[in-house]
Amino acid sequence: MVMLDSRLRYLVAVARSGSFTAAAQAAGVTQSAITKSIADLEKEIGYSVFYRTSRGVILTEQGGDFVKRVSRLLEDARELLQSGPTNRDPYAGVLRIGVCPASLEWRLVDPLAELLQRHRAVRYEISSANFETVVQHLRSGTLDVAVGFDAAFGEWADLRREPMGTLKSALFVRTGHPLLGKDKITRRDLAEYDFVSPSESRPYGEVIRDLYESHGIDWHSRVHRADFFPVVRRIVEQSDAIGVVAWAYAQSDHFAERFVLLPYDDFFPIAPLCCAVRARWEPKAATRAFIAIVKRSFPSGT
């Protein structure tokens, strides 16, 4: 990787080690060379990548994004330089997948297992974040593909979406919840309780915000945001909060032992899902294979 700017390699070394001294030792150069390289790079890009402290360095918010992009660039360059002229497995290397919201990760378990069974040389790097972060990394090339709600990706003309079925969501509460004693549960009744939302973005966030705002209630003080379903489940189980669950999962006996679905089938619209990639870049073989398996594995309305 001699052809690449050495400052980029030094940058990643500092980010991984947390100090200029350790990075210099790992790179086999002097600490002053590392320090000068990073300072020159920060001057060129116009912002600080690291906060300097007496105990080492910490990435700034912009610096964290920059390091991710540089790491991707170096990894791609390594794969390119190591690819021989013949017989190299086109599926070998890292497949970077973004998921938003993180509560969709469970839907990828079987497709990921199938892809790895078919192509043993693929390596996964899976990250979950809010929609805005995932889109930023996808558009910059830090991610190869993103999985999420089609409505959230639709406004970006530089992204291409591949439909992959739909997701039906439902509201649930713990057994014994006060709402279950009502003959008819109104939207006003729902607004009396906290919500646990998988995401602030579409489709969940705006529907939940509208529920509170339409009744003159500040939604900021009433909404928990948690994507990891075991956390959602625990909050709902130990409070009067209302949670959101995939309808298919809610049909399990394990779920029915402790929770009850509320009779609001249309509270959230059935949401189309998609895989998104950059429109102007041809997806690599592993990305294409992943999308094909995901599309086949996601039946509609589950």
Side-chain angles (χ1 to χ4, degrees), residues 4-15 20 32-50 52 59 62-71 73-74:
L4 292 177
D5 192 329
S6 61
R7 296 178 303 176
L8 301 181
R9 292 188 286 110
Y10 296 160
L11 177 83
V12 173
V14 173
F20 291 112
S32 60
I34 292 281
T35 302
K36 183 178 185 305
S37 292
I38 301 303
D40 288 346
L41 185 60
E42 289 178 322
K43 182 178 180 180
E44 182 173 333
I45 64 178
Y47 55 84
S48 296
V49 176
F50 301 105
R52 277 74 167 172
L59 284 166
Q62 282 183 300
D65 291 336
F66 187 72
V67 167
K68 285 182 180 179
R69 295 182 66 180
V70 170
S71 297
L73 174 65
L74 294 176

Side-chain angles (χ1 to χ4, degrees), residues 79-88:
E79 290 184 9
L80 180 63
L81 293 174
Q82 289 181 352
S83 61
T86 60
N87 297 327
R88 183 177 183 272

Side-chain angles (χ1 to χ4, degrees), residues 233-277:
R233 189 173 56 207
R234 181 59 62 88
I235 293 173
V236 172
E237 189 175 28
Q238 296 189 349
S239 72
D240 286 339
I242 300 169
V244 181
V245 63
W247 185 86
Y249 178 79
Q251 307 312 303
S252 66
D253 292 338
H254 177 72
F255 179 88
E257 289 174 359
R258 291 179 290 174
F259 304 106
V260 179
L261 291 181
L262 294 180
Y264 262 91
D265 291 342
D266 59 348
F267 188 79
F268 296 112
I270 294 179
L273 300 171
C274 75
C275 290
V277 297

